[in-house]
Amino acid sequence: MPNIKIKTAAVTDAPVIAALAKEIWTQHYVSIITIEQINFMLDNFQSTAAILRDIEIGAVYDIAYLDGEPCGYSAAVPDETGLFLSKLYVRQSCRGQGVAKALMRRIEDRAKVIKAPRIWLKCNKNNKDSLTAYARLGFSIAYPCVTDIGGGFVMDDYALEKKC
């Protein structure tokens, strides 16, 4: 049984999360989007500064540790429709060991506390592994969405949701 611990991130953890993001994104997304878009998204949405901005506006980050080493993270922020899961990422070497499930339990607990009717997220339409993982976690596709994120890039996603 893997030794998984989840902790709510403090602002001092932002560089650890940003380093995890860089490792995970450059491994996972290179077959889905261009390296230019990966770098743009890391700089604008996954950097230490971006994580600190997220925390300032109410996002709660959790960091997962597997045998004492940081191995994944999530971020969620309440909105008018429920709880938006903006980030859920696990290192490639740590997948399949229950880390995403442990992070998801933490998100579900948070949703119960705020009485959110649903948890929702966006996932790239071509991110088949993640779509499969989200389905196993109880999410279903709600609708397709394309979002202009600047820099000449768009996110071509599905919005997924899980009723609470």
Side-chain angles (χ1 to χ4, degrees), residues 7-24:
K7 88 167 200 168
T8 301
V11 283
T12 54
D13 293 313
V16 172
I17 297 167
L20 275 171
K22 185 171 186 172
E23 175 187 334
I24 293 165

Side-chain angles (χ1 to χ4, degrees), residues 7 14 20 99 134 148 152:
K7 88 167 200 168
L20 275 171
V99 175
Y134 284 125
D148 184 336

